[in-house]
Amino acid sequence: MMLLDIKDITTYYGASQALFGVELTIDEGEVVALMGRNGMGKSTTIKSICNLMPPKSGHIVFGGKNTQRLPPYKVARLGVGLVPEGRRCFPNLSVHENLVAAARPGPWTLEKVNALFPRLDERRDQMAKSLSGGEQQMLAIGRALMTNPRLLILDEATEGLAPVIRQDIWRAIRQLKAEGLSILVVDKTLSELLPVADRCVVIENGRTVWQGVSSDLTADIQDRYLGI
């Protein structure tokens, strides 16, 4: 069953057009990789989904509801959980306070998040600003899960993290997939991304240029749209 349906959206930064008819769908329980070189429109697409940058045209339907006239907090309440690029944890709140600040009822509880990321339990009383980058990413994911989303969006899931922390994040993503959570993920580590993604959507210059199952993302396609 389709959870998210994006058709022909155009989005602007002021007078400058950033998206030119992006299209993307996500089914219940599906993991979709949003791919493209830097500056091609991936983060703008995510901001459009969350209505942080409302599209000028096209449509976005989430869970059967058109979300384009909704403020971002109402999009979140429908079940869109965002882990933004740069993590953006509340720096002067503790780990525990970050997790409970936006908590909503559902299967994802403090205990379950701490089981997914035991480091968060170990550092529950530390200020978020004192955590390492990898620990902050775990906290950002945990905070999003505490909202009990239907769709988890991970923008640059492991960028800039140490290899051992990246493995912890990918382990968590695989577990979330196994539990049936729908996920939209942006990441440059194809060796980890492709095995977990059911489908890939490639954006170039603000346009959807390729969609398909991960196994069909050939080396030629990667070189054309994702290579340096």
Side-chain angles (χ1 to χ4, degrees):
M1 182 171 135
M2 189 177 295
L3 178 63
L4 177 69
D5 183 22
I6 299 173
K7 286 186 179 175
D8 200 29
I9 61 169
T10 63
T11 302
Y12 289 74
Y13 286 91
S16 299
Q17 188 170 355
L19 300 183
F20 299 81
V22 166
E23 300 198 350
L24 182 156
T25 62
I26 301 176
D27 289 339
E28 294 273 9
E30 188 176 36
V31 177
V32 174
L34 183 59
M35 310 174 80
R37 298 183 182 93
N38 288 342
M40 292 296 171
K42 303 185 299 296
S43 290
T44 304
T45 299
I46 287 172
K47 290 175 182 176
S48 296
I49 294 170
C50 299
N51 236 15
L52 296 167
M53 290 187 62
K56 294 282 188 180
S57 63
H59 83 255
I60 299 177
V61 175
F62 179 78
K65 185 176 182 65
N66 191 308
T67 63
Q68 284 165 260
R69 295 183 181 274
L70 299 180
Y73 77 90
K74 288 192 175 181
V75 176
R77 285 181 180 175
L78 287 176
V80 178
L82 173 63
V83 181
E85 184 178 11
R87 301 158 197 130
R88 301 184 190 177
C89 301
F90 302 120
N92 295 318
L93 296 183
S94 69
V95 168
H96 176 79
E97 289 167 337
N98 265 273
L99 291 174
V100 301
R104 300 184 69 211
W108 280 99
T109 62
L110 190 61
E111 292 73 22
K112 190 171 180 180
V113 168
N114 285 334
L116 184 68
F117 294 121
R119 289 189 188 211
L120 298 182
D121 194 27
E122 295 169 6
R123 290 156 174 73
R124 69 185 311 275
D125 295 322
Q126 281 186 229
M127 296 296 105
K129 63 184 178 183
S130 72
L131 301 179
S132 69
E135 290 165 348
Q136 288 185 21
Q137 184 70 338
M138 293 177 186
L139 180 55
I141 295 172
R143 182 181 60 186
L145 290 172
M146 288 289 288
T147 69
N148 278 284
R150 298 177 66 188
L151 172 66
L152 181 66
I153 301 177
L154 298 160
D155 193 0
E156 297 293 357
T158 66
E159 184 177 36
L161 303 183
V164 65
I165 299 296
R166 287 204 300 268
Q167 291 307 310
D168 285 342
I169 300 297
W170 286 116
R171 171 195 54 78
I173 292 172
R174 289 191 294 270
Q175 181 174 331
L176 295 172
K177 177 181 179 177
E179 294 189 11
L181 183 62
S182 301
I183 303 173
L184 177 64
V185 57
V186 173
D187 198 87
K188 297 181 179 68
T189 314
L190 297 187
S191 61
E192 296 286 356
L193 180 59
L194 292 179
V196 77
D198 298 302
R199 287 190 302 110
C200 301
V201 177
V202 180
I203 292 179
E204 185 173 61
N205 295 323
R207 293 177 171 85
T208 301
V209 293
W210 189 88
Q211 298 189 59
V213 296
S214 299
S215 58
D216 288 343
L217 189 72
T218 64
D220 287 344
I221 296 171
Q222 293 180 36
D223 185 62
R224 180 176 180 182
Y225 295 120
L226 307 176
I228 298 173

